[in-house]
Amino acid sequence: MRRGAERRLGALGWSRLERWPEEGAYWEALFVYEQTAHNAGQIASSTVMAGAVTRGEQWFFKALEVNQKTGDTPQVDSYTNFISALQL
């Protein structure tokens, strides 16, 4: 759990600084330990905000795939967050 918490805090810190590539790297590191739709969605959002739209789309579809198994994120939230990220 400790590694997950450290990675989550790192991601949130980089997000606050609007350093999207660094934020995405922390979410990806967290995804290794916690394969949730939420974490995959965070990777998708930070990746598109960093300018890598195609890669972000891949992570968005991964988030939808994971969510079919886990149901941890309302699907409408996934779409809303991703569309918002695309607008930045």
Side-chain angles (χ1 to χ4, degrees):
M1 182 67 160
R2 184 171 181 217
R3 288 183 178 164
E6 290 171 357
R7 285 163 174 80
R8 185 175 286 103
L9 287 173
L12 294 172
W14 286 117
S15 175
R16 179 77 172 146
L17 296 171
E18 298 183 2
R19 300 279 303 268
W20 314 126
E22 292 87 347
E23 175 195 11
Y26 273 84
W27 285 118
E28 284 191 51
L30 178 60
F31 189 79
V32 171
Y33 294 97
E34 298 176 12
Q35 294 187 5
T36 65
H38 171 78
N39 291 341
Q42 292 296 98
I43 298 166
S45 295
S46 59
T47 301
V48 298
M49 289 188 294
V53 176
T54 302
R55 189 163 181 269
E57 288 175 335
Q58 293 169 344
W59 273 104
F60 175 69
F61 293 125
K62 178 69 172 178
L64 296 179
E65 176 187 317
V66 170
N67 200 46
Q68 286 182 340
K69 297 174 189 170
T70 65
D72 69 269
T73 303
Q75 197 169 34
V76 69
D77 289 355
S78 296
Y79 279 94
T80 302
N81 292 339
F82 189 68
I83 291 167
S84 295
L86 286 166
Q87 294 175 342
L88 292 179

